[in-house]
Every structure is written in C-alpha cells, then in structure tokens.
Amino acid sequence: MPTSFAPSRRQLLAGSGALFAWPFLPKLALAEGRDPRMLVIVLRGALDGLALAAPVGDPDWIALRGDNALRVDGKTPGLPLDSFFALNPAMPNLHRLYKAGQATVVHAAATPYRERSHFDGQDVLESGAPKPFSARTGWLNRAFGAIEPAARVDTKAALAVGASTPLVVRGPVPVLSWTPQRIKPASEDTLLRLIDLYQHADPALARVLEGRLGLTRIARDGNMDAMAQKDAGPQQGIDALIAYFAEAAGTAAKFMARPDGPRVGAIAFNGWDTHVDEGAVGGRLGNLLGGLDGAIAAIETNMGAAWSETVVALVTEFGRTAKINGTNGTDHGCGTVALLAGGALKGGRVIADWPGLKTADLYQARDLKATTDLRAVLKGVLKDHLRVEDRALAETIFPGSEAVQAMGGLLA
C-alpha cells in the first residue's frame, strides 16, 4: 500500500544537507550588473596535491616518488599546465577549463592547522577559526551574517541538499534543506494541506513548507528522485562515490542556475584518505580525481549561462606526505592544492611560491611545506567576487587573520 512521508518541523527548520546557499546578494554586485555564484566543495580525507598537480619541473620530483611520480613522458603522461607543473591525466575537463582561462591551481597551500588529525583539520577548514573547536559556526554562515541587512536583495532561496550539514554552513542563519528520501516523500497534496494548516498557526513553518514544495518540483524535473532511490552510497564502493560526486554537484548547480535560486553553496565529498594503494594514475585516487573532474563538468553544464559568473572552490583539510609509504599510499601531511574553476575567473595559472622537495625543504622533513595560506585564497574570492568587506573577512569570517591579506587578481 502506498505510503507518504511528512518531514518533521525539526528536519525542515534545522536543515540537514551538504549544500548551503545564501538567499541574498549584495546590492553592490547587482549594481555592477553582476549576478555572482560561488560553490565550495570540501574534499574530506586530505587530498594528495602532488598527485593532482605534479611538480614535474622540480629536479627532486622523480627521486622522491620513483615509479609513482607523475611525469609528462610516462606511460600515462600528465597534462601540462606550464613548464613546471602537470595535471593528473584523470582530469581532462579541468585541463580544458585551465587552458580556457577558467581554472586556477593554487599549490603548496594549507589552512593554519599543522597537525594531522582529520577531525581537527576539517574543523579548522570549515569553521575558519585558527584553532580546532574554537568556533561552533562555519565561515560561510558567518559571511552571510557579515553582509548588512540593508545591503541584501531577496532572491527567495536558501538551500541545503544532502544527508548531513557540514560545519562550514552551521550557524544562526536559517537554511532550508532538501534531502533525498529512501522512502516515498510527502505527496504534493500532503504538502499543500500542511501549508494550509500552518498558514495561521505557524507562518514560519508554512513558508518553509512552501519552499520545500518548490524544491520538490525542481528536483523532480532534475531527476533527483532517481538519486534518492539508489541503494549504493559513498561507503559501498568507488563507483557509487564517483556517481554521487557528479549527481550531487550537478543538482546543486541546477538549483543555483535558476534566476530565483541560491547564489552561494557548499558540498562535502568524502573518500580522499589514501594510506594504502593510493593509485594516482589508474588506481583509487586516479578514479576519484576522474569523478571529481566529472563533478566539475556537471556543474559547468548545469550552470548554463550562469557559469560565466560562477566560481567553484575545491579545498581539503591538509595534504599528504611527500614520499610514498610502505603500502604504496601516503600518510597525513601538510601542504596541498586548492582548485578554483568557473567562468568568472582570471585562470589558466598555477599560483605557487614553490618551497622545493629536498628533505631540508620539506615540512618536518616529510611533507610539502605550505607557503600559501588558504584563507588568503578564500578571502580573495569573497572580497572580489561577492564584495565582502576586508574588516569582516579578518575579524568575523576568518577571526585572527588580520595578517593574511586577501589574494587579489583571481577574478576576470
């Protein structure tokens, strides 16, 4: 017998998802004739930046990783970025965007965190605080609050998609979530009846239900129901994880591309902890990078014309060891890469203050040394793309970062 599911008030008002979006835009951006979008993808598990963008021009690179070193003249050659760096061959779409000036690689980058705990590192990455567990809210949520109410324009959208809410979006700003259900969701008739019921008793809940009804209609058109019916999840194999990357990212872009849709969001992808059999080319990591490349392609496609005003930032909690370990993997490290993609970028560049790979140049003689503060990159995008003020960036969004200057010149 058919069943229906009515989400609880707590589920709707508290939010439960991997994607967050602001329902407002700075008036300044609109006054400039722009309609900017920003999507942050958190890669949880610590990405091996040396495997994604290999320093093929460093004389110590081949000796450091031996047969595991990506090269431009190998059996599966890397994709040249410039005379010094080559991109993993699993990412031809990102390479195409790079050549078109729509992607940037920031190398030897990291948050202020210098230990090797996933939990602590992710907390610093997503909270924006200089130390783990010193803030209970996320920098995206605080960035929303830093924009004065008088400088906001209502676009009728605040969105969360997914099964869990990352710290980066937690805080006082309310978020409407849309979570795929494995059991049959509430019918449209049920939602309409609930809206009518709560119109006078609980107007706030009625507005949320109205928003959820709209999301349900959009998701149905975007085939999100098919995603909800899948049995496989990220824990059930690399293929399911890769499929989730593209579907979740593509659906996020579909929502964000709408004229009345959200403009800023974040989504978390798990699976980047490669202690054993990393397989940068043709193995596990290579497959993951291919999946990430597909997710970027899905975002570009589903953004449509809005791609020209979009920035996608891909970040991770820390890097991995410079040397391969005894099980053909890499352990928790320090410096890594941050990626930017989008039509709003002044891309086609690798930004790096390269520290070198000699043992004496490595952090604690084992990790790629971080020479770029990730907060500088994020500040640069928030400042120039979304017009967030310097004072808010230094004191509220990334507290204690007054000495970290926003990176300029990232936007076209």
Side-chain angles (χ1 to χ4, degrees):
M1 181 176 181
T3 60
S4 62
F5 174 74
S8 70
R9 189 178 196 278
R10 174 183 290 274
Q11 286 174 311
L12 286 172
L13 293 182
S16 172
L19 177 78
F20 166 83
W22 296 345
F24 305 101
L25 282 174
K27 281 185 178 177
L28 178 57
L30 297 180
E32 294 171 344
R34 301 186 305 118
D35 189 5
R37 275 86 163 169
M38 181 180 177
L39 179 63
V40 178
I41 299 179
V42 179
L43 306 177
R44 289 180 175 164
L47 170 66
D48 184 356
L50 292 171
L52 188 149
V56 294
D58 190 307
D60 298 300
W61 170 236
I62 301 300
L64 182 73
R65 291 213 167 171
D67 293 340
N68 294 287
L70 179 66
R71 4 179 358 143
V72 291
D73 58 353
K75 183 178 179 181
T76 307
L79 306 172
L81 295 172
D82 56 23
S83 61
F84 195 86
F85 293 101
L87 187 67
N88 193 289
M91 307 192 81
N93 180 66
L94 183 64
H95 191 246
R96 173 183 60 81
L97 292 173
Y98 180 91
K99 292 192 295 183
Q102 297 181 9
T104 299
V105 178
V106 183
H107 220 316
T111 72
Y113 181 70
R114 291 294 178 270
E115 302 302 325
R116 298 181 177 87
S117 162
H118 286 306
F119 299 107
D120 292 355
Q122 289 167 11
D123 186 90
V124 170
L125 174 67
E126 298 186 44
S127 72
K131 296 180 180 180
F133 305 107
S134 57
R136 293 186 177 183
T137 59
W139 59 265
L140 268 179
N141 199 291
R142 293 197 302 275
F144 172 86
I147 300 175
E148 294 298 324
R152 300 174 184 169
V153 177
D154 188 5
T155 62
K156 301 180 181 178
L159 175 67
V161 174
S164 62
T165 303
L167 172 62
V168 71
V169 299
R170 296 178 197 164
V173 175
V175 181
L176 171 65
S177 67
W178 194 93
T179 305
Q181 300 290 335
R182 291 191 176 186
I183 56 180
K184 188 175 179 178
S187 67
E188 191 164 307
D189 178 68
T190 298
L191 286 174
L192 287 171
R193 289 174 183 270
L194 286 170
I195 291 168
D196 182 65
L197 174 66
Y198 285 108
Q199 200 69 251
H200 301 290
D202 193 337
L205 180 56
R207 287 194 296 271
V208 173
L209 288 169
E210 286 177 340
R212 186 180 181 88
L213 177 59
L215 293 180
T216 300
R217 289 169 173 163
I218 296 168
R220 182 179 58 225
D221 295 339
N223 200 31
M224 276 290 287
D225 287 338
M227 177 179 166
Q229 294 168 3
K230 288 184 177 180
D231 291 329
Q235 294 78 28
Q236 293 179 288
I238 192 71
D239 290 340
L241 193 64
I242 291 171
Y244 176 76
F245 286 0
E247 196 147 25
T251 302
K254 188 179 292 290
F255 284 127
M256 295 177 72
R258 292 173 58 87
D260 60 346
R263 292 298 181 264
V264 177
I267 189 165
F269 290 156
N270 298 329
W272 302 90
D273 202 10
T274 51
H275 286 287
V276 179
D277 293 330
E278 178 171 281
V281 177
R284 180 174 182 272
L285 180 57
N287 288 334
L288 282 170
L289 291 174
L292 188 62
D293 198 58
I296 295 170
I299 295 168
E300 179 190 12
T301 297
N302 289 350
M303 279 291 185
W307 177 253
S308 65
E309 297 191 88
T310 296
V311 173
V312 183
L314 302 99
V315 296
T316 189
E317 65 259 36
F318 45 72
R320 308 196 70 82
T321 48
K323 294 181 180 180
I324 299 295
N325 64 24
T327 57
N328 285 320
T330 51
D331 299 317
H332 300 174
C334 181
T336 183
V337 297
L339 300 177
L340 300 175
L345 291 171
K346 182 182 179 181
R349 298 176 293 158
V350 178
I351 299 173
D353 178 8
W354 190 245
L357 296 176
K358 297 183 185 299
T359 300
D361 296 328
L362 298 177
Y363 177 71
Q364 296 184 347
R366 50 168 279 167
D367 306 331
L368 178 66
K369 185 180 295 182
T371 54
T372 295
D373 194 316
L374 180 59
R375 295 173 297 179
V377 181
L378 298 174
K379 280 185 174 185
V381 176
L382 291 172
K383 178 181 178 179
D384 293 339
H385 192 49
L386 300 181
R387 301 299 193 239
V388 181
E389 296 181 351
D390 281 321
R391 182 173 179 178
L393 289 170
E395 298 178 2
T396 306
I397 301 169
F398 299 103
S401 67
E402 290 83 359
V404 180
Q405 298 298 311
M407 184 178 288
L410 296 175
L411 278 293

